[in-house]
Amino acid sequence: MNVSYRTNFILRMGIPLFLFISYFFISHSKLTLIIAVLATIQVIAFGLDIHRKGNWNKINLQHDQRTRYN
């Protein structure tokens, strides 16, 4: 799915958010908390990488049609 880096970042933020909600309201498992913290660190690193490269408004071409048929 070709979306902007900003949209991709917002979609990736949903995973740690769901894991934290799951930890605090549903499971109270230490493994869920560890996975949520690691996912949060990954999202922060992804956001910092986008910010350094200045790609917030650019489109992330994951499946470019031109290279598929060449």
Side-chain angles (χ1 to χ4, degrees):
M1 185 165 63
N2 295 337
V3 296
S4 69
Y5 283 95
R6 179 182 21 196
T7 306
N8 194 5
F9 179 75
I10 291 170
L11 292 174
R12 284 189 183 200
M13 281 186 351
I15 295 170
L17 184 63
F18 174 75
L19 288 171
F20 278 117
I21 290 171
S22 173
Y23 172 73
F24 287 115
F25 296 112
I26 300 170
S27 70
H28 302 292
S29 170
K30 297 289 182 187
L31 182 62
T32 307
L33 181 63
I34 291 170
I35 293 172
V37 169
L38 291 176
T40 303
I41 292 170
Q42 182 184 17
V43 167
I44 290 171
F46 180 68
L48 288 175
D49 186 50
I50 293 171
H51 183 70
R52 281 189 202 125
K53 293 179 182 177
N55 290 336
W56 284 109
N57 293 324
K58 295 181 182 174
I59 300 295
N60 184 8
L61 296 175
Q62 296 175 357
H63 302 289
D64 193 359
Q65 297 294 329
R66 294 172 292 173
T67 59
R68 183 177 293 175
Y69 293 113
N70 288 340

